[in-house]
Amino acid sequence: MELTTEIFHKLEILSDAAKYDVACTSSGTSRKGVKGTMGNAVSAGLCHCFAADGRCISLLKILQTNECVYDCKYCQNRLSNDIPRAYFTPEEIAELTISFYRRNYIEGLFLSSGIRKNPDFTMEQIYQAIYLLRSRYRFNGYIHVKAIPGADPLLIEKTGWLADRMSVNLEMPTSAGLQTLAPQKSRKTLLTPMRQIQVGRKENRLLLEGRKLPGVKNQMRIGTAPEDETFSDTTPLTERAAAATVRSTTNGLPSDRMPDSGMPLNSSPTGGTPHIDTYSKKQLPVTEKQNFSLQEFHPDASFVPAGQSTQMIVGASNESDYEIVHMAAAMYKQFDLKRVFYSAFVNTTHDPVLPELKGGPPLLREHRLYQADFLLRFYQFEAEEIITEDTPFLNVQIDPKCNWALNHLAFFPVEVQTADYHTLLRIPGVGVKSARRILAARRLGHLDFASLKKFGVVLKRAMYFITCGGKTMIPLKLNERFILTNLLGLRERLPASVTGENMYEQMSLLDFIDE
Protein backbone atom coordinates (compact mmCIF):
# COMPACT_ATOMS: atom_id res chain seq x y z
CA MET A 1 0.00 0.00 0.00
CA GLU A 2 1.33 3.39 -0.97
CA LEU A 3 1.25 5.85 1.92
CA THR A 4 -0.35 8.80 0.23
CA THR A 5 -0.58 12.21 1.87
CA GLU A 6 -4.24 11.55 2.66
CA ILE A 7 -3.56 8.18 4.30
CA PHE A 8 -0.62 9.60 6.23
CA HIS A 9 -2.77 12.48 7.50
CA LYS A 10 -5.53 10.09 8.63
CA LEU A 11 -2.99 7.82 10.29
CA GLU A 12 -1.54 10.76 12.20
CA ILE A 13 -4.98 11.78 13.49
CA LEU A 14 -6.34 8.33 14.33
CA SER A 15 -3.19 6.90 15.92
CA ASP A 16 -2.94 9.97 18.16
CA ALA A 17 -6.65 9.69 19.05
CA ALA A 18 -6.13 6.09 20.22
CA LYS A 19 -3.48 6.91 22.83
CA TYR A 20 -5.99 7.37 25.66
CA ASP A 21 -7.29 3.81 25.26
CA VAL A 22 -4.95 1.73 27.42
CA ALA A 23 -6.93 -1.49 27.37
CA CYS A 24 -4.38 -3.50 25.41
CA THR A 25 -1.35 -5.46 26.55
CA SER A 26 0.00 -9.02 26.30
CA SER A 27 -2.08 -11.11 23.95
CA GLY A 28 -2.78 -14.03 26.26
CA THR A 29 -2.91 -16.42 23.32
CA SER A 30 -0.37 -18.36 21.28
CA ARG A 31 -0.93 -19.40 17.68
CA LYS A 32 1.70 -20.78 15.34
CA GLY A 33 1.82 -19.93 11.69
CA VAL A 34 -0.13 -22.12 9.26
CA LYS A 35 0.78 -22.82 5.69
CA GLY A 36 -0.88 -20.31 3.42
CA THR A 37 -1.29 -17.69 6.16
CA MET A 38 0.74 -14.70 7.30
CA GLY A 39 1.88 -14.06 10.89
CA ASN A 40 1.28 -15.66 14.27
CA ALA A 41 0.34 -14.68 17.82
CA VAL A 42 2.70 -14.84 20.81
CA SER A 43 1.32 -14.97 24.36
CA ALA A 44 4.45 -13.38 25.81
CA GLY A 45 3.30 -9.87 25.02
CA LEU A 46 2.05 -7.39 22.48
CA CYS A 47 1.54 -3.65 22.15
CA HIS A 48 4.93 -2.24 23.11
CA CYS A 49 5.67 -4.98 25.64
CA PHE A 50 8.82 -7.02 26.05
CA ALA A 51 8.44 -10.70 25.25
CA ALA A 52 10.14 -13.51 27.16
CA ASP A 53 12.92 -13.63 24.59
CA GLY A 54 13.62 -9.89 24.95
CA ARG A 55 11.81 -8.69 21.84
CA CYS A 56 9.77 -5.51 21.92
CA ILE A 57 6.55 -6.44 20.14
CA SER A 58 4.23 -3.81 18.77
CA LEU A 59 0.65 -3.42 17.63
CA LEU A 60 -0.75 -1.00 15.13
CA LYS A 61 -2.99 0.90 17.56
CA ILE A 62 -5.52 3.10 15.78
CA LEU A 63 -9.13 4.22 15.80
CA GLN A 64 -11.31 3.28 12.88
CA THR A 65 -12.69 6.79 13.24
CA ASN A 66 -12.60 9.62 15.78
CA GLU A 67 -16.04 10.78 14.72
CA CYS A 68 -18.58 10.13 17.46
CA VAL A 69 -22.29 10.69 17.99
CA TYR A 70 -21.79 10.70 21.78
CA ASP A 71 -20.82 13.76 23.81
CA CYS A 72 -19.04 12.20 26.83
CA LYS A 73 -17.60 15.07 28.86
CA TYR A 74 -14.20 13.39 29.45
CA CYS A 75 -13.55 12.25 25.87
CA GLN A 76 -11.29 14.09 23.47
CA ASN A 77 -13.30 12.73 20.53
CA ARG A 78 -16.69 13.81 21.83
CA LEU A 79 -19.22 15.31 19.44
CA SER A 80 -18.89 18.91 20.67
CA ASN A 81 -15.07 19.03 20.46
CA ASP A 82 -13.70 21.06 17.58
CA ILE A 83 -10.90 18.73 16.44
CA PRO A 84 -9.78 17.32 13.06
CA ARG A 85 -11.85 14.27 12.17
CA ALA A 86 -10.85 11.30 10.04
CA TYR A 87 -12.18 7.91 9.01
CA PHE A 88 -10.53 4.72 7.73
CA THR A 89 -12.45 2.40 5.44
CA PRO A 90 -12.21 -1.34 6.21
CA GLU A 91 -10.03 -1.79 3.11
CA GLU A 92 -7.63 0.94 4.26
CA ILE A 93 -7.30 -0.63 7.74
CA ALA A 94 -6.59 -4.06 6.28
CA GLU A 95 -4.08 -2.80 3.73
CA LEU A 96 -2.39 -0.53 6.29
CA THR A 97 -2.01 -3.42 8.76
CA ILE A 98 -0.51 -5.74 6.16
CA SER A 99 1.73 -3.01 4.81
CA PHE A 100 3.20 -2.30 8.25
CA TYR A 101 3.48 -6.02 9.03
CA ARG A 102 5.50 -6.64 5.88
CA ARG A 103 7.79 -3.78 6.85
CA ASN A 104 8.28 -5.51 10.23
CA TYR A 105 6.90 -2.48 12.11
CA ILE A 106 4.12 -4.43 13.86
CA GLU A 107 3.00 -7.93 14.73
CA GLY A 108 -0.69 -7.32 15.28
CA LEU A 109 -3.60 -4.87 15.35
CA PHE A 110 -5.46 -3.03 18.11
CA LEU A 111 -8.58 -1.48 16.59
CA SER A 112 -10.95 0.78 18.48
CA SER A 113 -13.37 3.41 17.23
CA GLY A 114 -15.63 6.32 17.95
CA ILE A 115 -19.31 5.75 17.19
CA ARG A 116 -19.92 6.82 13.61
CA LYS A 117 -23.62 7.07 12.61
CA ASN A 118 -24.67 4.44 15.19
CA PRO A 119 -23.27 1.37 17.03
CA ASP A 120 -24.43 -1.10 14.36
CA PHE A 121 -22.71 0.76 11.53
CA THR A 122 -19.48 1.11 13.53
CA MET A 123 -19.39 -2.55 14.59
CA GLU A 124 -20.05 -3.60 11.00
CA GLN A 125 -17.11 -1.54 9.76
CA ILE A 126 -14.81 -3.11 12.37
CA TYR A 127 -16.03 -6.57 11.42
CA GLN A 128 -15.42 -5.95 7.72
CA ALA A 129 -11.87 -4.75 8.41
CA ILE A 130 -10.80 -7.88 10.31
CA TYR A 131 -12.77 -10.10 7.92
CA LEU A 132 -10.64 -8.75 5.08
CA LEU A 133 -7.47 -9.35 7.10
CA ARG A 134 -8.38 -12.95 7.86
CA SER A 135 -9.87 -13.93 4.48
CA ARG A 136 -8.23 -11.87 1.73
CA TYR A 137 -4.79 -11.42 3.30
CA ARG A 138 -4.82 -14.67 5.34
CA PHE A 139 -3.45 -12.72 8.31
CA ASN A 140 -2.84 -15.07 11.23
CA GLY A 141 -1.48 -12.47 13.66
CA TYR A 142 -2.96 -11.07 16.86
CA ILE A 143 -6.05 -8.85 16.57
CA HIS A 144 -7.70 -6.98 19.44
CA VAL A 145 -10.92 -5.10 18.66
CA LYS A 146 -13.59 -3.24 20.58
CA ALA A 147 -17.06 -4.66 20.98
CA ILE A 148 -19.30 -1.64 20.48
CA PRO A 149 -22.00 -1.36 23.17
CA GLY A 150 -25.48 -1.21 21.66
CA ALA A 151 -24.45 -3.03 18.48
CA ASP A 152 -26.40 -6.02 17.24
CA PRO A 153 -25.28 -9.18 19.14
CA LEU A 154 -24.95 -11.00 15.82
CA LEU A 155 -22.25 -8.58 14.69
CA ILE A 156 -20.38 -9.00 17.98
CA GLU A 157 -20.59 -12.77 17.66
CA LYS A 158 -19.30 -12.79 14.09
CA THR A 159 -16.44 -10.49 15.09
CA GLY A 160 -15.60 -12.68 18.08
CA TRP A 161 -14.85 -15.64 15.83
CA LEU A 162 -12.26 -13.55 13.95
CA ALA A 163 -10.60 -11.59 16.78
CA ASP A 164 -8.20 -12.84 19.45
CA ARG A 165 -9.33 -10.46 22.17
CA MET A 166 -12.29 -8.12 22.53
CA SER A 167 -12.85 -5.37 25.05
CA VAL A 168 -15.61 -3.05 26.19
CA ASN A 169 -14.61 0.05 28.13
CA LEU A 170 -16.57 0.32 31.38
CA GLU A 171 -15.53 4.02 31.43
CA MET A 172 -16.63 5.03 34.95
CA PRO A 173 -16.42 2.71 37.98
CA THR A 174 -19.98 3.52 39.07
CA SER A 175 -23.32 4.08 37.37
CA ALA A 176 -23.61 7.50 39.03
CA GLY A 177 -20.31 8.65 37.54
CA LEU A 178 -21.31 7.35 34.11
CA GLN A 179 -24.67 9.13 34.28
CA THR A 180 -22.96 12.40 35.19
CA LEU A 181 -20.18 12.38 32.59
CA ALA A 182 -21.67 10.21 29.82
CA PRO A 183 -25.47 10.51 30.08
CA GLN A 184 -25.99 8.98 26.61
CA LYS A 185 -24.52 5.70 27.84
CA SER A 186 -25.88 3.27 30.42
CA ARG A 187 -24.31 0.56 32.53
CA LYS A 188 -26.71 -2.02 31.11
CA THR A 189 -25.67 -1.21 27.52
CA LEU A 190 -21.98 -1.55 28.44
CA LEU A 191 -22.39 -4.83 30.32
CA THR A 192 -24.58 -6.60 27.73
CA PRO A 193 -21.79 -7.30 25.17
CA MET A 194 -19.43 -8.27 28.00
CA ARG A 195 -21.93 -10.88 29.17
CA GLN A 196 -22.41 -12.07 25.59
CA ILE A 197 -18.66 -12.57 25.13
CA GLN A 198 -18.36 -14.33 28.49
CA VAL A 199 -21.19 -16.78 27.74
CA GLY A 200 -19.96 -17.34 24.18
CA ARG A 201 -16.47 -18.20 25.44
CA LYS A 202 -17.90 -20.56 28.05
CA GLU A 203 -20.02 -22.42 25.50
CA ASN A 204 -17.09 -22.57 23.10
CA ARG A 205 -14.93 -24.16 25.81
CA LEU A 206 -17.61 -26.79 26.35
CA LEU A 207 -17.64 -27.52 22.62
CA LEU A 208 -13.86 -27.83 22.51
CA GLU A 209 -13.90 -30.14 25.52
CA GLY A 210 -16.50 -32.37 23.86
CA ARG A 211 -19.26 -31.59 26.37
CA LYS A 212 -21.59 -30.21 23.72
CA LEU A 213 -25.33 -29.74 23.60
CA PRO A 214 -27.39 -32.39 21.75
CA GLY A 215 -27.21 -31.84 18.02
CA VAL A 216 -24.51 -29.16 18.11
CA LYS A 217 -22.00 -29.46 15.28
CA ASN A 218 -18.28 -29.15 15.84
CA GLN A 219 -17.65 -27.39 12.54
CA MET A 220 -18.10 -23.63 13.04
CA ARG A 221 -18.42 -21.16 10.18
CA ILE A 222 -18.24 -17.41 10.27
CA GLY A 223 -21.74 -15.99 10.18
CA THR A 224 -23.43 -19.29 11.11
CA ALA A 225 -24.30 -20.89 14.39
CA PRO A 226 -24.60 -24.44 15.73
CA GLU A 227 -27.92 -26.16 15.31
CA ASP A 228 -29.88 -27.71 18.14
CA GLU A 229 -33.41 -28.94 18.70
CA THR A 230 -34.75 -25.56 19.83
CA PHE A 231 -33.18 -22.92 17.61
CA SER A 232 -32.99 -22.60 13.84
CA ASP A 233 -29.73 -22.77 11.90
CA THR A 234 -29.67 -18.97 11.61
CA THR A 235 -29.79 -18.36 15.35
CA PRO A 236 -26.36 -17.33 16.65
CA LEU A 237 -24.70 -19.25 19.44
CA THR A 238 -24.69 -16.27 21.77
CA GLU A 239 -28.40 -15.60 21.30
CA ARG A 240 -29.14 -18.96 22.88
CA ALA A 241 -26.60 -18.26 25.60
CA ALA A 242 -27.94 -14.75 26.15
CA ALA A 243 -31.46 -16.10 26.48
CA ALA A 244 -30.27 -18.52 29.15
CA THR A 245 -28.39 -15.71 30.88
CA VAL A 246 -31.47 -13.48 30.96
CA ARG A 247 -33.45 -16.26 32.60
CA SER A 248 -30.77 -17.08 35.15
CA THR A 249 -29.56 -13.64 36.23
CA THR A 250 -31.21 -10.93 38.26
CA ASN A 251 -28.82 -8.07 37.59
CA GLY A 252 -30.64 -6.80 34.50
CA LEU A 253 -28.32 -7.76 31.64
CA PRO A 254 -30.70 -8.97 28.89
CA SER A 255 -30.02 -7.75 25.38
CA ASP A 256 -32.82 -5.62 23.99
CA ARG A 257 -31.37 -5.95 20.46
CA MET A 258 -31.41 -9.47 19.11
CA PRO A 259 -30.38 -10.34 15.54
CA ASP A 260 -32.92 -10.42 12.77
CA SER A 261 -33.59 -14.16 12.58
CA GLY A 262 -34.88 -13.82 9.04
CA MET A 263 -31.60 -12.46 7.71
CA PRO A 264 -29.60 -15.14 5.82
CA LEU A 265 -26.10 -15.51 7.17
CA ASN A 266 -24.28 -17.85 4.84
CA SER A 267 -25.69 -17.16 1.40
CA SER A 268 -25.89 -14.29 -1.02
CA PRO A 269 -27.94 -13.75 -4.18
CA THR A 270 -24.74 -12.66 -5.91
CA GLY A 271 -22.81 -15.75 -4.89
CA GLY A 272 -20.36 -13.97 -2.59
CA THR A 273 -20.14 -14.01 1.16
CA PRO A 274 -22.42 -11.21 2.41
CA HIS A 275 -21.45 -8.54 4.88
CA ILE A 276 -24.51 -7.47 6.79
CA ASP A 277 -24.88 -3.71 7.00
CA THR A 278 -27.28 -3.46 9.92
CA TYR A 279 -27.37 0.30 9.53
CA SER A 280 -29.00 0.22 6.10
CA LYS A 281 -30.39 -3.34 6.45
CA LYS A 282 -28.78 -4.30 3.13
CA GLN A 283 -26.48 -7.15 2.22
CA LEU A 284 -23.13 -6.04 0.90
CA PRO A 285 -21.62 -8.86 -1.21
CA VAL A 286 -17.86 -9.20 -0.96
CA THR A 287 -15.76 -11.00 -3.53
CA GLU A 288 -14.04 -13.24 -1.01
CA LYS A 289 -14.03 -17.00 -0.78
CA GLN A 290 -17.62 -18.16 -0.29
CA ASN A 291 -18.46 -19.44 3.21
CA PHE A 292 -15.05 -18.51 4.61
CA SER A 293 -14.40 -20.97 7.44
CA LEU A 294 -12.24 -19.89 10.32
CA GLN A 295 -11.51 -23.50 11.26
CA GLU A 296 -10.30 -24.09 7.73
CA PHE A 297 -8.17 -20.95 8.11
CA HIS A 298 -6.84 -22.27 11.41
CA PRO A 299 -7.80 -25.65 12.92
CA ASP A 300 -7.64 -24.39 16.52
CA ALA A 301 -9.94 -21.40 16.00
CA SER A 302 -12.19 -20.49 18.89
CA PHE A 303 -14.40 -17.67 20.10
CA VAL A 304 -12.37 -14.72 21.51
CA PRO A 305 -9.55 -17.10 22.59
CA ALA A 306 -7.54 -14.43 24.47
CA GLY A 307 -10.56 -13.34 26.49
CA GLN A 308 -11.89 -9.87 27.12
CA SER A 309 -10.71 -6.82 29.02
CA THR A 310 -12.06 -3.43 30.10
CA GLN A 311 -10.87 0.00 31.17
CA MET A 312 -11.89 2.39 33.94
CA ILE A 313 -10.97 6.07 34.09
CA VAL A 314 -9.44 7.10 37.42
CA GLY A 315 -9.93 10.63 38.73
CA ALA A 316 -12.62 11.99 36.40
CA SER A 317 -15.35 11.46 38.98
CA ASN A 318 -15.39 11.20 42.76
CA GLU A 319 -15.25 7.42 43.15
CA SER A 320 -12.97 6.12 45.89
CA ASP A 321 -10.33 3.43 45.48
CA TYR A 322 -12.60 1.19 47.54
CA GLU A 323 -15.31 1.42 44.86
CA ILE A 324 -12.83 0.92 42.03
CA VAL A 325 -11.10 -2.13 43.54
CA HIS A 326 -14.38 -3.78 44.48
CA MET A 327 -15.80 -3.10 41.01
CA ALA A 328 -12.71 -4.70 39.44
CA ALA A 329 -13.03 -7.75 41.72
CA ALA A 330 -16.69 -8.12 40.75
CA MET A 331 -15.83 -7.88 37.04
CA TYR A 332 -13.21 -10.62 37.35
CA LYS A 333 -15.63 -12.94 39.13
CA GLN A 334 -18.86 -12.23 37.26
CA PHE A 335 -17.59 -11.61 33.73
CA ASP A 336 -14.46 -13.78 33.58
CA LEU A 337 -12.29 -10.83 32.51
CA LYS A 338 -8.64 -11.32 31.68
CA ARG A 339 -7.64 -7.81 32.69
CA VAL A 340 -9.02 -4.56 34.07
CA PHE A 341 -7.05 -1.47 33.03
CA TYR A 342 -6.93 1.82 34.90
CA SER A 343 -6.39 5.07 33.04
CA ALA A 344 -5.38 8.19 34.99
CA PHE A 345 -7.72 10.95 33.89
CA VAL A 346 -6.22 13.50 31.50
CA ASN A 347 -8.37 16.62 31.22
CA THR A 348 -8.33 17.32 27.49
CA THR A 349 -11.79 18.89 27.19
CA HIS A 350 -11.72 21.23 30.25
CA ASP A 351 -15.43 20.81 30.72
CA PRO A 352 -16.62 22.71 33.83
CA VAL A 353 -18.06 19.46 35.27
CA LEU A 354 -14.63 17.82 35.25
CA PRO A 355 -12.06 18.28 38.04
CA GLU A 356 -9.06 20.47 37.33
CA LEU A 357 -6.13 18.37 38.53
CA LYS A 358 -3.44 20.84 39.57
CA GLY A 359 -0.82 18.14 39.96
CA GLY A 360 -1.58 16.59 36.59
CA PRO A 361 -3.05 13.11 36.00
CA PRO A 362 -3.21 10.95 39.17
CA LEU A 363 -0.46 8.59 38.00
CA LEU A 364 0.60 7.41 41.46
CA ARG A 365 -2.99 6.52 42.29
CA GLU A 366 -3.21 4.60 39.01
CA HIS A 367 0.01 2.78 39.92
CA ARG A 368 -1.34 1.71 43.33
CA LEU A 369 -4.55 0.47 41.70
CA TYR A 370 -2.54 -1.70 39.32
CA GLN A 371 -0.64 -3.13 42.30
CA ALA A 372 -3.94 -3.87 44.04
CA ASP A 373 -5.19 -5.46 40.84
CA PHE A 374 -2.19 -7.81 40.78
CA LEU A 375 -3.02 -8.89 44.32
CA LEU A 376 -6.51 -9.81 43.13
CA ARG A 377 -5.35 -11.68 40.04
CA PHE A 378 -2.19 -13.48 41.16
CA TYR A 379 -1.80 -13.31 44.93
CA GLN A 380 -5.12 -14.79 46.11
CA PHE A 381 -6.24 -11.62 47.90
CA GLU A 382 -9.87 -10.62 48.26
CA ALA A 383 -10.92 -7.03 47.64
CA GLU A 384 -12.01 -6.59 51.27
CA GLU A 385 -8.52 -7.55 52.43
CA ILE A 386 -6.84 -4.96 50.23
CA ILE A 387 -9.07 -2.00 51.05
CA THR A 388 -12.02 -1.42 53.34
CA GLU A 389 -14.85 1.10 53.43
CA ASP A 390 -13.38 2.63 56.59
CA THR A 391 -10.18 3.55 54.69
CA PRO A 392 -11.52 4.04 51.14
CA PHE A 393 -8.25 5.14 49.52
CA LEU A 394 -5.05 3.16 49.03
CA ASN A 395 -1.95 4.25 50.91
CA VAL A 396 0.16 6.13 48.36
CA GLN A 397 3.27 5.89 50.57
CA ILE A 398 3.67 2.12 50.32
CA ASP A 399 2.35 -0.58 48.05
CA PRO A 400 -0.92 -2.36 48.98
CA LYS A 401 0.79 -5.61 49.94
CA CYS A 402 3.11 -3.92 52.43
CA ASN A 403 0.16 -1.93 53.73
CA TRP A 404 -1.80 -5.14 54.33
CA ALA A 405 1.17 -6.73 56.10
CA LEU A 406 1.58 -3.74 58.43
CA ASN A 407 -2.11 -3.95 59.32
CA HIS A 408 -1.84 -7.70 60.03
CA LEU A 409 1.41 -8.08 61.96
CA ALA A 410 -0.15 -10.93 63.96
CA PHE A 411 0.18 -13.00 60.77
CA PHE A 412 3.97 -12.58 60.86
CA PRO A 413 6.76 -13.61 61.01
CA VAL A 414 6.33 -16.42 58.49
CA GLU A 415 8.71 -19.36 58.52
CA VAL A 416 9.65 -19.89 54.86
CA GLN A 417 10.80 -23.49 55.52
CA THR A 418 7.26 -24.64 56.37
CA ALA A 419 4.76 -22.07 55.03
CA ASP A 420 2.31 -23.14 52.32
CA TYR A 421 2.03 -21.41 48.94
CA HIS A 422 -0.89 -19.19 49.95
CA THR A 423 1.00 -17.96 53.03
CA LEU A 424 4.19 -17.29 51.05
CA LEU A 425 2.25 -15.08 48.63
CA ARG A 426 1.25 -12.85 51.55
CA ILE A 427 4.85 -11.91 52.34
CA PRO A 428 5.97 -8.52 50.95
CA GLY A 429 8.87 -9.04 48.58
CA VAL A 430 7.81 -12.60 47.64
CA GLY A 431 6.30 -12.97 44.19
CA VAL A 432 4.53 -15.81 42.41
CA LYS A 433 7.71 -17.19 40.83
CA SER A 434 9.84 -16.88 43.95
CA ALA A 435 7.13 -18.60 46.05
CA ARG A 436 7.12 -21.55 43.65
CA ARG A 437 10.91 -21.70 43.69
CA ILE A 438 10.89 -21.81 47.49
CA LEU A 439 8.41 -24.71 47.49
CA ALA A 440 10.51 -26.63 44.96
CA ALA A 441 13.89 -25.95 46.61
CA ARG A 442 12.99 -26.81 50.19
CA ARG A 443 12.11 -30.37 49.17
CA LEU A 444 15.81 -30.86 48.47
CA GLY A 445 17.25 -29.26 51.60
CA HIS A 446 17.27 -26.33 53.99
CA LEU A 447 17.07 -22.73 52.80
CA ASP A 448 19.05 -19.70 53.85
CA PHE A 449 18.74 -16.00 53.12
CA ALA A 450 21.33 -16.15 50.33
CA SER A 451 19.29 -18.78 48.50
CA LEU A 452 16.11 -16.73 48.98
CA LYS A 453 17.80 -13.81 47.24
CA LYS A 454 18.77 -16.10 44.35
CA PHE A 455 15.12 -17.17 44.06
CA GLY A 456 14.09 -13.55 43.46
CA VAL A 457 12.85 -12.64 46.94
CA VAL A 458 13.24 -8.90 47.61
CA LEU A 459 14.87 -9.21 51.01
CA LYS A 460 14.90 -5.48 51.74
CA ARG A 461 11.11 -5.84 52.12
CA ALA A 462 10.71 -9.47 53.07
CA MET A 463 13.27 -9.49 55.92
CA TYR A 464 10.84 -7.69 58.26
CA PHE A 465 8.22 -10.42 57.86
CA ILE A 466 10.05 -13.77 57.64
CA THR A 467 12.24 -16.21 59.49
CA CYS A 468 14.42 -18.84 57.85
CA GLY A 469 15.20 -21.83 60.02
CA GLY A 470 13.81 -19.90 63.00
CA LYS A 471 16.22 -16.97 62.53
CA THR A 472 15.76 -13.44 61.22
CA MET A 473 18.14 -11.91 58.72
CA ILE A 474 19.14 -9.12 61.15
CA PRO A 475 17.95 -8.29 64.69
CA LEU A 476 14.44 -6.91 64.27
CA LYS A 477 11.42 -5.92 66.28
CA LEU A 478 7.94 -6.56 64.94
CA ASN A 479 6.69 -3.02 65.35
CA GLU A 480 4.53 -1.18 62.83
CA ARG A 481 6.23 2.20 63.19
CA PHE A 482 9.71 0.66 63.04
CA ILE A 483 8.93 -1.35 59.87
CA LEU A 484 7.10 1.52 58.16
CA THR A 485 10.00 3.91 58.80
CA ASN A 486 12.46 1.48 57.27
CA LEU A 487 10.22 0.68 54.29
CA LEU A 488 9.78 4.37 53.55
CA GLY A 489 13.55 4.77 53.76
CA LEU A 490 13.88 2.39 50.81
CA ARG A 491 12.53 5.12 48.53
CA GLU A 492 10.55 2.77 46.36
CA ARG A 493 11.52 3.10 42.73
CA LEU A 494 8.29 3.98 40.96
CA PRO A 495 7.74 3.60 37.21
CA ALA A 496 8.96 6.49 35.06
CA SER A 497 5.35 7.12 34.00
CA VAL A 498 4.62 7.93 37.64
CA THR A 499 7.73 9.86 38.66
CA GLY A 500 8.34 11.61 35.34
CA GLU A 501 12.08 11.09 35.87
CA ASN A 502 14.25 9.84 33.01
CA MET A 503 11.14 9.88 30.88
CA TYR A 504 11.61 8.58 27.36
CA GLU A 505 8.97 9.08 24.68
CA GLN A 506 7.51 5.91 23.23
CA MET A 507 8.24 5.58 19.52
CA SER A 508 5.34 5.79 17.12
CA LEU A 509 4.89 4.15 13.75
CA LEU A 510 5.03 7.64 12.30
CA ASP A 511 8.69 7.82 13.38
CA PHE A 512 9.48 5.18 10.75
CA ILE A 513 7.65 6.84 7.90
CA ASP A 514 9.21 9.45 5.65
CA GLU A 515 6.95 12.27 4.74
Side-chain angles (χ1 to χ4, degrees):
M1 176 183 182
E2 182 181 353
L3 287 173
T4 63
T5 303
E6 180 186 1
I7 292 293
F8 185 86
H9 180 62
K10 288 200 277 188
L11 180 62
E12 192 171 21
I13 293 173
L14 295 176
S15 60
D16 182 72
K19 66 185 178 184
Y20 295 108
D21 198 329
V22 299
C24 61
T25 182
S26 57
S27 64
T29 184
S30 293
R31 182 172 57 251
K32 294 183 178 180
V34 177
K35 185 178 180 180
T37 68
M38 179 187 298
N40 57 23
V42 182
S43 61
L46 289 173
C47 196
H48 299 96
C49 290
F50 286 95
D53 59 2
R55 292 180 301 150
C56 182
I57 310 175
S58 303
L59 294 179
L60 173 60
K61 183 178 179 183
I62 56 172
L63 296 185
Q64 191 255 348
T65 179
N66 64 343
E67 299 176 19
C68 194
V69 298
Y70 294 146
D71 199 28
C72 305
K73 299 184 185 301
Y74 51 81
C75 184
Q76 183 187 28
N77 302 317
R78 67 179 185 172
L79 179 64
S80 59
N81 254 20
D82 185 16
I83 59 173
R85 306 285 180 172
Y87 167 72
F88 276 133
T89 66
E91 290 77 12
E92 287 174 336
I93 292 172
E95 291 179 12
L96 199 60
T97 302
I98 294 301
S99 177
F100 282 146
Y101 180 84
R102 286 172 174 160
R103 289 177 170 90
N104 202 30
Y105 293 164
I106 62 167
E107 295 195 30
L109 172 67
F110 175 90
L111 181 61
S112 185
S113 183
I115 308 302
R116 185 169 185 255
K117 295 185 180 181
N118 63 31
D120 281 347
F121 180 85
T122 305
M123 193 73 239
E124 169 65 15
Q125 294 292 292
I126 291 175
Y127 165 72
Q128 288 192 23
I130 63 172
Y131 181 92
L132 287 172
L133 279 169
R134 296 299 196 203
S135 61
R136 178 185 296 174
Y137 296 102
R138 313 296 290 174
F139 182 66
N140 194 34
Y142 176 77
I143 298 178
H144 179 157
V145 298
K146 290 292 178 182
I148 304 299
D152 196 309
L154 176 58
L155 286 171
I156 294 174
E157 178 194 352
K158 287 158 69 73
T159 304
W161 285 104
L162 291 170
D164 290 287
R165 175 169 287 185
M166 299 185 75
S167 58
V168 181
N169 286 351
L170 197 60
E171 310 289 6
M172 296 292 116
T174 64
S175 298
L178 189 68
Q179 182 62 33
T180 302
L181 300 181
Q184 294 168 289
K185 298 180 179 179
S186 70
R187 180 56 57 88
K188 175 183 174 181
T189 305
L190 296 175
L191 293 180
T192 297
M194 297 176 73
R195 180 68 79 195
Q196 178 186 353
I197 294 169
Q198 177 205 10
V199 175
R201 277 173 45 79
K202 183 177 180 180
E203 237 183 79
N204 179 239
R205 284 196 298 267
L206 294 178
L207 289 172
L208 294 177
E209 292 169 2
R211 299 197 302 270
K212 57 183 179 179
L213 298 174
V216 175
K217 295 181 180 180
N218 280 325
Q219 180 70 11
M220 300 295 296
R221 286 188 177 274
I222 299 304
T224 65
E227 300 175 356
D228 61 22
E229 298 173 354
T230 307
F231 294 85
S232 68
D233 60 348
T234 59
T235 306
L237 172 68
T238 45
E239 182 177 350
R240 299 201 306 277
T245 303
V246 171
R247 291 193 297 270
S248 62
T249 58
T250 58
N251 55 354
L253 295 173
S255 172
D256 56 358
R257 297 181 49 78
M258 286 299 176
D260 181 358
S261 58
M263 186 179 294
L265 302 179
N266 56 0
S267 62
S268 170
T270 61
T273 302
H275 283 186
I276 302 172
D277 182 354
T278 53
Y279 175 70
S280 61
K281 298 301 180 185
K282 296 178 181 178
Q283 290 183 4
L284 304 178
V286 177
T287 57
E288 309 297 341
K289 181 178 178 181
Q290 187 172 2
N291 291 332
F292 167 63
S293 170
L294 188 59
Q295 284 196 335
E296 178 186 335
F297 173 68
H298 196 286
D300 298 324
S302 57
F303 184 77
V304 196
Q308 61 174 324
S309 58
T310 191
Q311 171 181 304
M312 289 189 281
I313 301 172
V314 178
S317 48
N318 59 359
E319 288 89 4
S320 65
D321 293 342
Y322 172 83
E323 293 173 293
I324 295 173
V325 171
H326 279 73
M327 173 57 69
M331 298 300 291
Y332 283 127
K333 290 180 180 179
Q334 297 178 20
F335 290 87
D336 192 28
L337 260 65
K338 291 292 184 182
R339 187 79 185 269
V340 174
F341 292 85
Y342 309 92
S343 178
F345 171 61
V346 180
N347 195 345
T348 59
T349 62
H350 301 286
D351 191 285
V353 177
L354 297 172
E356 287 291 342
L357 303 172
K358 296 181 180 179
L363 295 175
L364 182 55
R365 184 183 178 191
E366 175 194 290
H367 178 59
R368 295 300 183 211
L369 285 169
Y370 273 117
Q371 290 177 322
D373 189 85
F374 269 67
L375 296 184
L376 290 173
R377 294 165 58 211
F378 302 117
Y379 289 84
Q380 303 179 1
F381 276 77
E382 297 293 332
E384 197 63 38
E385 295 178 287
I386 299 170
I387 189 169
T388 63
E389 197 170 5
D390 296 332
T391 54
F393 288 91
L394 295 169
N395 189 339
V396 295
Q397 292 183 310
I398 55 175
D399 68 83
K401 193 176 182 183
C402 285
N403 188 67
W404 177 87
L406 289 175
N407 291 329
H408 298 81
L409 287 178
F411 186 82
F412 300 99
V414 171
E415 174 53 59
V416 294
Q417 294 275 17
T418 58
D420 59 23
Y421 179 67
H422 174 78
T423 303
L424 290 173
L425 289 179
R426 300 268 159 160
I427 304 170
V430 176
V432 174
K433 288 184 179 180
S434 53
R436 290 173 179 168
R437 289 166 181 165
I438 290 172
L439 291 177
R442 70 189 189 190
R443 299 191 188 103
L444 305 176
H446 292 286
L447 305 179
D448 55 26
F449 287 101
S451 59
L452 292 179
K453 186 175 182 179
K454 291 179 181 179
F455 297 156
V457 175
V458 184
L459 289 176
K460 61 183 180 182
R461 286 191 179 86
M463 67 180 182
Y464 302 103
F465 305 99
I466 63 173
T467 59
C468 190
K471 298 179 181 180
T472 60
M473 184 174 175
I474 59 175
L476 296 171
K477 52 183 179 180
L478 206 61
N479 177 274
E480 181 179 350
R481 178 174 293 183
F482 169 79
I483 297 174
L484 178 59
T485 302
N486 282 274
L487 288 176
L488 292 177
L490 294 175
R491 296 183 180 179
E492 175 188 7
R493 185 175 180 180
L494 300 176
S497 60
V498 173
T499 62
E501 298 176 0
N502 299 322
M503 180 77 75
Y504 294 94
E505 185 177 351
Q506 179 175 286
M507 296 186 72
S508 165
L509 285 172
L510 301 176
D511 296 328
F512 295 98
I513 303 169
D514 295 326
E515 297 187 29

